């Protein structure tokens, strides 16, 4: 009797363990999809979508001010906050329409300023030629890349269609990876992530969505797992000129308490000294006596 009861308990425990492992394995296996999303996916149920997604790539904007089809993605913050809340790592992308090198520089600065601080990597979506880009596509891509590299040490990824890469002979070897679209077959150009369909399905989205699969799994994984740590200015000279690369606030104290104002990205700043918070975090004291973050993800030397 005791032996039978013991065997029953062992059997029941084994079933419970197998059940738990199966659920865990199924849940893990479900997180295999890679989707890019924008306002065109409407209101995404991120609780459901997160159960399918290995990662996602979220649009920030389309074009630059002055372009006839310029728009800031109305769901960029909702989607970024939803993905972050539900534990889905994400990057963000910039649909560009370059007309000049100056346009590419301004495009990169605005894109970075509008991006979410939790983005693990940034993508240049280079699939549409601006009116003045003929013969200069590579020059403008290089200007975007160079500008972004001064703003962040997070991975930078190049996106385009296979046909665009061929026609314009694009070189994106400086980027930390590539994401290439071809809905017929695996791209015949260098690619780490392959966007293979625009009519995929995903839990939490009622319509169709772009889906991608990895070609170089190791490279793609690094985009969202090897996120560099924040770096800070540890010294400045009195009168040194700085530039805000994101919208930031000014405060009365080095603990960033007592907000006294805000600054828009690209604002010029004059530093007075470096200060430390009560926890030892570096801050910049400005010439007017107020304090701002010393995080190089938010300010840069001019």
């Amino acid at each position: 009797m005791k032996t039978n009861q013991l065997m029953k308990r062992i059997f029941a425990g084994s079933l419970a363990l197998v059940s738990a492992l199966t659920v865990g394995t199924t849940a893990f296996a479900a997180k295999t999809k890679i989707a890019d999303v924008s306002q065109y996916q409407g209101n995404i149920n991120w609780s459901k979508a997160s159960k399918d997604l290995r990662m996602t790539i979220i649009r920030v904007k389309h074009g630059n001010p002055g372009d006839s089809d310029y728009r800031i993605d109305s769901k960029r913050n909702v989607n970024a906050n939803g993905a972050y809340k539900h534990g889905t790592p994400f990057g963000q992308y910039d649909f560009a329409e370059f007309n000049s090198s100056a346009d590419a520089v301004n495009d990169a600065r605005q894109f970075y300023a509008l991006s979410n601080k939790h983005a693990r990597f940034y993508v240049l979506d280079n699939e549409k030629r601006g009116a003045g880009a003929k013969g200069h596509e590579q020059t403008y891509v290089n200007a975007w890349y160079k500008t972004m590299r001064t703003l962040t040490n997070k991975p930078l990824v190049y996106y385009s269609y296979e046909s665009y890469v061929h026609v314009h002979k694009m070189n994106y070897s400086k980027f930390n990876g590539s994401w290439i679209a071809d809905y017929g077959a695996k791209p015949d150009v260098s690619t780490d992530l392959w966007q293979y369909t625009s009519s995929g399905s995903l839990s939490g989205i009622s319509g169709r969505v772009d889906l991608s699969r990895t070609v170089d799994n190791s490279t793609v994984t690094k985009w969202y797992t090897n996120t560099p740590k924040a770096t800070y200015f540890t010294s400045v000279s009195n009168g040194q000129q700085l530039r805000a690369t994101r919208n930031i606030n000014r405060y009365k104290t080095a603990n960033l308490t007592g907000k006294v104002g805000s600054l828009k990205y690209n604002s010029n700043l004059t530093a007075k000294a470096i200060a430390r918070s009560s926890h030892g975090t570096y801050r910049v004291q400005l010439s007017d006596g107020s304090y701002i973050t010393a995080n190089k993800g938010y300010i840069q030397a001019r």
Side-chain angles (χ1 to χ4, degrees):
M1 182 70 173
K2 289 182 179 178
T3 301
N4 288 340
Q5 287 177 342
L6 178 60
M7 291 302 293
K8 287 179 180 179
R9 288 173 184 168
I10 292 173
F11 182 69
S14 298
L15 284 177
L17 178 60
V18 170
S19 177
L21 288 173
T22 301
V23 171
T25 303
T26 301
F28 178 78
K31 290 179 175 289
T32 57
K33 291 186 176 182
I34 299 174
D36 54 284
V37 299
S38 69
Q39 66 189 52
Y40 297 116
Q41 275 67 55
N43 296 318
I44 298 174
N45 184 327
W46 281 101
S47 177
K48 291 182 178 179
S50 64
K51 292 177 174 60
D52 277 358
L53 286 168
R54 171 181 170 179
M55 74 165 183
T56 188
I57 308 172
I58 299 167
R59 189 178 74 159
V60 170
K61 68 183 188 69
H62 181 120
N64 249 6
D67 295 338
S68 60
D69 55 354
Y70 167 71
R71 70 185 70 89
I72 296 173
D73 197 290
S74 61
K75 296 291 185 180
R76 75 189 194 284
N77 289 328
V78 172
N79 285 335
N81 293 336
Y84 182 73
K85 177 181 177 180
H86 292 282
T88 299
F90 68 91
Q92 293 193 293
Y93 74 92
D94 175 20
F95 187 110
E97 298 177 312
F98 301 142
N99 293 311
S100 66
S101 292
D103 186 51
V105 170
N106 292 333
D107 184 290
R109 288 193 173 281
Q110 186 195 35
F111 167 61
Y112 179 75
L114 292 173
S115 66
N116 188 280
K117 65 180 180 180
H118 296 300
R120 304 288 184 89
F121 59 95
Y122 303 102
V123 180
L124 169 61
D125 183 342
N126 179 223
E127 62 180 273
K128 186 176 181 180
R129 174 199 269 183
K134 185 176 181 180
H136 302 286
E137 290 85 3
Q138 188 68 56
T139 299
Y140 301 160
V141 166
N142 292 347
W144 186 96
Y145 174 88
K146 183 178 179 180
T147 303
M148 284 294 293
R149 191 43 77 212
T150 70
L151 296 169
T152 181
N153 56 1
K154 292 180 180 180
L156 301 178
V157 178
Y158 178 85
Y159 170 90
S160 193
Y161 284 87
E162 177 191 287
S163 57
Y164 192 97
V165 172
H166 279 305
V167 169
H168 302 297
K169 298 179 174 59
M170 301 307 301
N171 181 340
Y172 41 89
S173 58
K174 290 183 179 180
F175 285 76
N176 299 105
S178 55
W179 174 29
I180 304 297
D182 190 306
Y183 302 151
K186 189 173 80 170
D188 62 5
V189 296
S190 176
T191 183
D192 303 303
L193 184 65
W194 169 26
Q195 187 185 80
Y196 67 92
T197 183
S198 60
S199 56
S201 62
L202 184 73
S203 298
I205 295 178
S206 58
R208 295 302 179 183
V209 64
D210 296 340
L211 293 180
S212 298
R213 58 172 60 111
T214 59
V215 175
D216 186 331
N217 188 63
S218 176
T219 294
V220 173
T221 301
K222 289 176 183 177
W223 297 350
Y224 63 91
T225 57
N226 293 354
T227 305
K229 292 183 178 180
T231 57
Y232 292 79
F233 282 94
T234 58
S235 65
V236 294
S237 57
N238 187 10
Q240 182 175 343
Q241 297 299 299
L242 304 173
R243 185 207 313 264
T245 58
R246 294 184 183 271
N247 298 337
I248 58 175
N249 294 324
R250 296 185 298 113
Y251 297 90
K252 290 181 179 179
T253 74
N255 286 328
L256 303 188
T257 59
K259 180 180 173 182
V260 295
S262 59
L263 297 163
K264 292 184 178 181
Y265 87 96
N266 270 348
S267 294
N268 295 324
L269 316 172
T270 302
K272 181 178 180 181
I274 281 288
R276 304 285 285 271
S277 73
S278 57
H279 296 292
T281 306
Y282 289 98
R283 314 295 192 198
V284 174
Q285 184 181 31
L286 299 178
S287 58
D288 65 1
S290 64
Y291 296 84
I292 61 171
T293 179
N295 188 329
K296 291 182 179 180
Y298 292 80
I299 58 174
Q300 64 179 180
R302 289 189 59 82

